[in-house]
Each structure stands twice: as C-alpha cells, then as structure tokens.
Amino acid sequence: MGKLAINGGGKLLSEGYMEWPIVTEKEKKAVMDVLESRIFWGAYAPNAKALQKEWADYVGTEYCLCTGSGTSALHIAVAGAGIGPGDEVITSALTFVASSHAIMQQNAIPVFVDIESVTYNIDPKKIREKITKNTKAIIPVHLHGTPCDMDEIMEIAKEYGLIVIEDACQAHGASYKKRKTGSVGDMAAFSLNGSKNLSGGEGGLFNTSNEEFFRKARTVRDLGEVIEEGVERDYNAFEIGWMYRYTELNAAFTRVRLESLDEENALRIKNAEYLTEKLKKIKGVIPPSVPEDRESVFHLYRIRFDPSQLGLNISPKEFRAKVQMALRAEGFQANRWQNRPVPMQTLFQDKKGYGNGCPWACPFGNAKGIFYKAEDYTETKKVVDDSIVLHSYIYPPNGIGLMDCFAAGIKKLWDNLDEMLAIKLDPASIYTRD
Ligand SMILES: Cc1ncc(COP(=O)(O)O)c(C=O)c1O
C-alpha cells in the first residue's frame, strides 16, 4: 500500500466540497410565485422584462435581451451584425465550440486565432494576419472570467471596420479598465447555464447600446417578426429568425441569483487569489495570473504543470494526466475543460458542415482554401495538454480552508513523486488522438 490515495493510502479530502449552484429559499419562492401567477412565457412577461432591464443596468448598456441559451445570445448578435454567407469571423482557438457555432449558424466561416500565454485569451498580435477582405467581425472570448485585451482588439476592429461581439459567457461581472465585460464591444453575449457565475439553469443574455443591432437581434430572436410591447401582433415575419425567447420560471430564478452575483464573485476572487499565493510557491505549478488593468471573476481556475521545473523528463501532457488522476483519488476536483484547440475538433477537420460543405463551400465566399492547421494553435495545444481546471471547488460557500487543503494535496503528490510517476495511465485520459 502506498501513501497516495490512488495506491490505497488515506484520502486527503474525505468530506468533499459543495457543488455549484446555490439554491436558497429566495429562489424557491421566486419560482413558486411564477407558478402562482400562471404567467410562464412571452417576450414581455414580467420577469423576462425585469431581468433585461436589471442586466442592462448591471453591465452598463442601453439594451438587453434574454434568450434560451448563451449560444442563442451569441447567434442573435452575429445575425444582428448582418453577418451572412461567405463572411469570415475571427474568434479564439481556446473557447467552447458554441462561439464558432454562432458564426456557422449564419453560414459564415469561423477563423481561429491562437491564444497568448498569460490570460489564455485570443492573442491580439496574431489577429491581423487572419484578416481578409471577407472578415466582418471579431468575437473575443473572456475565458474563465478574465477579460481580453479589449483596447488592442477595439483598435484593430476600428482599423479594419470590424464589429466586435464579446463572448462574455464565462465573465459575468468581470471588468476591463473598470468597465464591465459586455459593455466594451458593439454587442455581447452571456450564458446562464447551470455552471455559470450567474446561473438561471439554462439561458442567455444579449447586450448592446446600439439601437440598430438591438432591433435586428430582437427580430431574429422572435422568428423574424417585430413584436413590440403593447402593440397588436401582426404575424408578419420580415426575415428568417428563431424562437429564442426565455422562460419566466428561469428568468425569476436568474433575477434572485443576480442579487448575490457581486458578493459571490468577491468570494470566488478571494479563494482564487489565496490559492494562487499558495500554489506560486510550489515548483512546477503555474496558477492563473490576471493583468493589473482587469478583474477576473474566475469562472474556472486553470492550473498548468511544468514537470521540467522539477527536473523530470516526462511530457507535460502525461504528467498532467497523472496529477489529475492522483488528485481525484485524494477527493479533489481536477477537471479538463477542452481537450484540444477548437479548430482541431472533427467538425473543422472534416468540414462537412451542413452536409454539402457549407459554410466553407458556400459560393458567396472564398473559404474553400481555409484549413485549420495544428501549427496555427500551438499555444492553445500546450495549455489544454498541461493543465486542469477547478470550478465549484473555488466557488462559495467553499472557503479558504479548502484552498489550503488543495495546496496540501499538491504537496502530498510532490512529496511522493516516485509513486505518482508510477501511476499507469488510462490511454483515454490523455486523449492521444490529437
Ligand atoms: C465561452 C462560451 N461561449 C458560449 C457558451 C454557450 O453558452 P450556453 O451553454 O448557455 O449555450 C459557453 C457555455 O458554456 C461558453 O463557455
């Protein structure tokens, strides 16, 4: 029997940690009130309407629309920008695939840019080389709650006349130079799925201060009709649209969750900063770092590992896989979030698209020559290979004691390196395909 839990030793974290999200009596009452009211749906139902106003005020934009998901909020932004067949839109190689689906749903072509190594966000220095005459927009993704370098991105957008849509699906309440994410670009989208800092179960929020974008996005959200509050419905669709309205039960739930967002973000930040101070002192461990001009809300806390700092001759990917298995056995959260750069997913390698090769084969564009090559995303590849993420573990009500315990967990593995290095890897855990 070894010392590590994976080899039968004592488990370090036996009582576990609380899983996100939090549900209190207040959320239950809000949902029950909707049931009592029997108003469940509608573009102007009271909770949906109130949530839109409250979120527009919170972010600092003129307008907000709630939608059924973050993906649909992104899609109405892309459609609202007038993007269509043959257009190209730039986004990050390290994101959730939804950022690019929103582009392809308009029969437009996603063009991926590698990340920079501090924030793991799109590298602004690599954007210009991907711009062509077909490029219409940039979708920077504020990954894991850390804002992108928005000044640089807005500067490039201005130079080339591009629209900026912030994918803030992971960044509720984060700020860049004191401005809330979602208020810097032309439009923005947030996700409300159950994992998010602001959760409504499922759902999405679209923000803009541009009236034209707002009207266009609202039209496509409502099946291409123009539905105004208090005006008799005309049942006349002006264009192709979707049914992306939000539900009252979820809107009521989200509104209560919003009341605690700042307080809960502050606790996340406290946990994350405390853990970072601890992990910084351990050789071979690279905790996240946040540039001084922005505030992260740590939707995810990504930890990289560098075995060369420990004098070990093992690939970072294999080392990470062993650390991950050993940490899980000790009772800790140790997840992966994305196993490869998004453009290396089968969808982009096969390019079958809608079945006949669209959007790439679309005759309106010039994208047949666009291929997604591994050598364009080397930084992303390194990060997804050598890192794990923590989620609920750093979320409230979990506190500092658990952060100490996690650091102690890493120390335990480092003190028993021989045992850890001898862990046999399940080939599936290191995803050899990519
Ligand atoms: C960066 C990013 N973009 C878009 C989305 C899509 O949001 P949803 O799952 O609400 O559709 C997510 C959700 O996980 C995300 O993390």
Side-chain angles (χ1 to χ4, degrees), residues 21 29 48 52 76 101 180 227 274 333 339 342 345 353 359 396 430:
K29 180 172 183 314
Q52 290 177 168
I76 63 171
H101 271 102
K180 285 258 160 57
I227 301 175
Y274 183 86
Q333 187 168 45
N339 299 333
V342 171
Q345 293 190 20
I430 54 167

Side-chain angles (χ1 to χ4, degrees), residues 67-74 94-100 141-144 167-171 189-196 201-204 299-300 337-338:
T67 61
S69 66
T71 309
S72 50
L74 270 174
L94 184 53
T95 182
F96 187 53
V97 72
S99 316
S100 51
V141 183
H142 305 304
L143 200 77
H144 306 343
D167 181 338
C169 284
Q170 300 191 357
F190 294 84
S191 164
L192 295 173
N193 79 28
S195 74
K196 296 302 187 294
E202 296 282 6
H299 168 62
L300 293 177
W337 189 85
Q338 301 305 311

Side-chain angles (χ1 to χ4, degrees), residues 324-366:
Q324 189 182 4
M325 284 172 73
L327 281 173
R328 282 185 172 170
E330 298 291 341
F332 295 109
Q333 187 168 45
N335 298 341
R336 292 189 83 192
W337 189 85
Q338 301 305 311
N339 299 333
R340 55 187 66 79
V342 171
M344 299 313 288
Q345 293 190 20
T346 306
L347 164 65
F348 303 100
Q349 294 301 304
D350 289 358
K351 296 210 300 184
K352 287 192 190 134
Y354 284 98
N356 59 1
C358 283
W360 297 277
C362 177
F364 293 104
N366 191 21

